[in-house]
Amino acid sequence: NAGVTQTPKFQVLKTGQSMTLQCAQDMNHNSMYWYRQDPGMGLRLIYYSASEGTTDKGEVPNGYNVSRLNKREFSLRLESAAPSQTSVYFCASTRSGTQNTEAFFGQGTRLTVV
Amino acid sequence: AQSVTQPDIHITVSEGASLELRCNYSYGATPYLFWYVQSPGQGLQLLLKYFSGDTLVQGIKGFEAEFKRSQSSFNLRKPSVHWSDAAEYFCAVKGSQGNLIFGKGTKLSVKP
């Protein structure tokens, strides 16, 4: 059971470079989410996709874009990376965002911007 | 606004001692509540969840949590802590968009 798979696991970028974080789930879930985790801040929502074809901003969307490529995949793009985007990024999915369902998380991507 | 507060940033307990991690939430409707654990460098593992029904919920690894609506609390407990329980613990409530709203976490250290 793969669950939620994120790639890459680690990445170092230079300021101004771009990259895309990939996330795929094999549970036929409708809703997918991107969070960032910073020390002492818990996890904060960047963007989410309630269903295929829709995306919405979360709490901290600035500097990011997302694409819900299909029902399985939800990517996060940094167009011009900044040191403030150094963080651990987690992707999650749920069967349906409005029901009493639990979220399943990927193993995270540790990103460092120098 | 929906929010979760974990008042304790860091707790140290002796191995074999009991543990209680505090969590308070702010949410207008019936909350869906979760506790996750994260070991260093790892992802999040679900310990337990509360959706409805019995207010005392059992989870994995011997953890339990009690939902108290009158106190807006969902505290996590374990009768006897093991050294392997050392990790960071996150309480979360499900938001109106299906996302999780997390507390800032409580780091647990275990003394031998």
Side-chain angles (χ1 to χ4, degrees):
Chain A
N1 291 341
V4 179
T5 303
Q6 290 183 236
T7 55
K9 289 186 168 49
F10 301 94
Q11 183 73 48
V12 178
L13 288 179
K14 294 182 179 179
T15 298
Q17 286 186 318
S18 62
M19 80 161 294
T20 299
L21 281 65
Q22 306 286 354
C23 174
Q25 52 88 11
D26 61 1
M27 296 172 282
N28 201 35
H29 284 172
N30 291 309
S31 303
M32 299 184 73
Y33 307 85
W34 276 105
Y35 296 88
R36 61 177 287 173
Q37 182 182 25
D38 302 293
M41 300 294 294
L43 282 81
R44 293 178 292 169
L45 183 67
I46 305 172
Y47 268 94
Y48 66 98
S49 172
S51 60
E52 186 179 356
T54 69
T55 61
D56 284 287
K57 295 178 180 179
E59 179 185 356
V60 288
N62 291 346
Y64 305 95
N65 285 299
V66 291
S67 295
R68 183 74 182 265
L69 305 170
N70 47 55
K71 192 171 185 178
R72 289 187 65 248
E73 298 172 287
F74 188 40
S75 62
L76 178 72
R77 183 159 177 85
L78 287 71
E79 290 290 353
S80 178
S84 60
Q85 294 178 304
T86 294
S87 188
V88 181
Y89 292 84
F90 287 98
C91 178
S93 70
T94 65
R95 179 163 54 86
S96 171
T98 57
Q99 296 179 5
N100 54 347
T101 56
E102 67 183 84
F104 294 82
F105 284 83
Q107 287 301 300
T109 295
R110 188 173 296 273
L111 175 67
T112 303
V113 183
V114 298
Chain B
Q2 303 153 357
S3 65
V4 174
T5 301
Q6 293 180 247
D8 304 305
I9 296 172
H10 190 187
I11 284 181
T12 300
V13 300
S14 297
E15 191 168 15
S18 63
L19 170 71
E20 183 169 26
L21 302 183
R22 295 182 292 165
C23 172
N24 292 96
Y25 66 89
S26 172
Y27 191 73
T30 300
Y32 299 140
L33 295 159
F34 306 83
W35 275 100
Y36 285 86
V37 61
Q38 185 181 37
S39 298
Q42 301 298 310
L44 285 89
Q45 182 180 23
L46 179 67
L47 283 176
L48 47 77
K49 60 193 177 194
Y50 171 78
F51 290 156
S52 65
D54 193 346
T55 57
L56 185 63
V57 293
Q58 302 297 321
I60 62 171
K61 304 185 178 186
F63 285 92
E64 65 178 27
E66 187 170 13
F67 169 61
K68 293 186 177 180
R69 185 185 297 275
S70 62
Q71 298 178 18
S72 297
S73 69
F74 188 57
N75 293 350
L76 182 71
R77 301 194 294 244
K78 187 170 185 178
S80 177
V81 170
H82 188 262
W83 63 266
S84 61
D85 293 324
E88 190 159 20
Y89 292 79
F90 293 93
C91 181
V93 64
K94 199 160 196 182
S96 57
Q97 302 303 325
N99 58 301
L100 290 175
I101 299 164
F102 286 88
K104 295 186 177 181
T106 298
K107 185 176 180 180
L108 174 65
S109 298
V110 181
K111 290 190 300 185

